[in-house]
């Protein structure tokens, strides 16, 4: 797929922290659209990070690329404002319904339905892919039991 064939841009999205383990945070996208696992270094906010926290961030569709993108993900960890960055990695899981992208620079993983990835080639593990993603901001906390998150 040629990137110029489609205009893929980041949109402001939301998610809910499902769990934290060590340095990683698992964020479930609203609408059952996928799961992002990110390092704590990309999260900002004055509310203590724990399950039930509402997150806000920029995110885009994924697309398959021929070569690793030239990107600078520093704003994800250094900027206070949410600034979408071009990030990339390789597909580490592909099945009938979903794909999992493991991001370079230890930025985590993105697991989304197959309909979220643009490609001209059959999907398989090892393909390179890219998307836009920003740091995440804690905007509140839901008061719901852990098992319902």
């Amino acid at each position: 797929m040629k990137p110029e064939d489609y205009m893929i841009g980041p949109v402001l999205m939301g998610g809910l922290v499902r769990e934290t383990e060590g340095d990683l945070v698992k964020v479930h996208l609203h609408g059952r659209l996928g799961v992002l696992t990110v390092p704590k270094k990309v999260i900002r906010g004055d509310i203590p990070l724990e399950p039930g926290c509402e997150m806000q961030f920029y995110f885009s569709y994924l697309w398959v690329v021929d070569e690793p993108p030239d990107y600078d993900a520093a704003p994800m960890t250094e900027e206070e404002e949410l600034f979408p960055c071009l990030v990339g990695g390789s597909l580490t899981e592909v099945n009938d319904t979903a794909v999992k992208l493991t991001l370079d620079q230890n930025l985590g993983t993105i697991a989304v339905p197959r309909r979220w990835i643009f490609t001209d080639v059959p999907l398989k593990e090892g393909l390179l892919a890219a998307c836009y993603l920003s740091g995440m901001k804690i905007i509140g906390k839901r008061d719901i039991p852990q098992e319902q998150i």
Side-chain angles (χ1 to χ4, degrees):
M1 183 192 98
K2 297 179 209 143
E4 60 272 9
D5 289 346
Y6 299 92
M7 180 176 265
I8 299 176
V11 295
L12 190 60
M13 298 204 48
L16 192 65
V17 173
R18 177 73 184 255
E19 63 185 81
T20 62
E21 185 174 315
D23 185 44
L24 297 176
V25 179
K26 192 174 281 191
V27 179
H28 287 239
L29 299 175
H30 291 317
R32 300 172 53 108
L33 295 175
V35 178
L36 280 67
T37 303
V38 297
K40 289 180 180 175
K41 67 183 179 181
V42 304
I43 297 174
R44 11 174 110 58
D46 298 327
I47 299 170
L49 180 63
E50 60 185 351
C53 283
E54 285 280 348
M55 308 299 285
Q56 195 172 60
F57 51 93
Y58 286 94
F59 184 46
S60 75
Y61 287 104
L62 284 61
W63 64 94
V64 171
V65 296
D66 294 327
E67 297 179 21
D70 182 24
Y71 59 87
D72 177 13
M76 289 181 67
T77 59
E78 297 172 0
E79 299 292 328
E80 203 51 42
E81 301 241 354
L82 299 181
F83 185 81
C85 298
L86 178 62
V87 296
S90 61
L91 297 179
T92 52
E93 290 181 31
V94 176
N95 61 43
D96 292 345
T97 60
V99 297
K100 185 174 189 178
L101 175 66
T102 298
L103 299 171
D104 295 336
Q105 299 183 2
N106 296 317
L107 291 175
T109 63
I110 298 171
V112 293
R114 286 177 71 117
R115 67 180 181 269
W116 270 68
I117 187 163
F118 285 79
T119 180
D120 290 336
V121 298
L123 291 175
K124 63 181 181 179
E125 292 179 9
L127 286 176
L128 300 177
C131 68
Y132 288 98
L133 182 65
S134 72
M136 297 185 176
K137 182 178 181 180
I138 303 171
I139 59 169
K141 177 152 181 351
R142 287 195 186 176
D143 189 23
I144 54 179
Q146 169 74 26
E147 61 275 359
Q148 293 182 4
I149 298 175

